[in-house]
Amino acid sequence: MLKILRSSNGQVIFTLIGRMQAERVAELEELLKSEAGARQIVLDLKDLTLADRDAVRFFERCEENGIKLKNCPAYIREWITRQRGSS
């Protein structure tokens, strides 16, 4: 289960709570598109307990598109770094 909380304070912050799996990627992409161009978008991953391969690829694309990953767990950061190294 994934819970998404939206807040703003000069930036739009989406806090992800729980598990991020492939079936939720499209939903999150739509949320991000709805905020495009407004302000800096931040994904706060502090309360993310699990992410699958598709979710990590999504996070990598987010960073490439200028979205900041805040409180990114070490295992996700390492996975993104390895993905970039193998590309």
Side-chain angles (χ1 to χ4, degrees):
M1 185 172 120
L2 179 70
K3 185 173 183 180
I4 303 168
L5 301 178
R6 183 194 182 279
S7 62
S8 64
N9 63 351
Q11 303 173 317
V12 176
I13 302 169
F14 289 102
T15 302
L16 306 183
I17 303 167
R19 296 173 175 217
M20 176 71 179
Q21 296 173 313
E23 60 269 7
R24 300 303 297 267
V25 169
E27 175 186 352
L28 198 49
E29 285 175 333
E30 287 301 313
L31 282 173
L32 296 177
K33 283 180 191 174
S34 71
E35 299 288 345
R39 295 174 268 181
Q40 170 69 45
I41 298 175
V42 177
L43 295 178
D44 188 345
L45 308 180
K46 177 180 71 171
D47 296 317
L48 192 68
T49 56
L50 184 69
D52 69 9
R53 181 181 307 174
D54 292 318
V56 172
R57 287 180 181 150
F58 168 73
F59 293 140
E60 180 183 10
R61 287 192 310 272
C62 285
E63 278 195 324
E64 290 172 355
N65 292 320
I67 296 171
K68 180 180 176 185
L69 300 182
K70 180 179 176 184
N71 299 313
C72 186
Y75 81 96
I76 293 176
R77 176 58 55 208
E78 184 177 329
W79 204 346
I80 289 172
T81 301
R82 272 195 256 140
Q83 285 279 119
R84 288 182 178 153
S86 66
S87 298

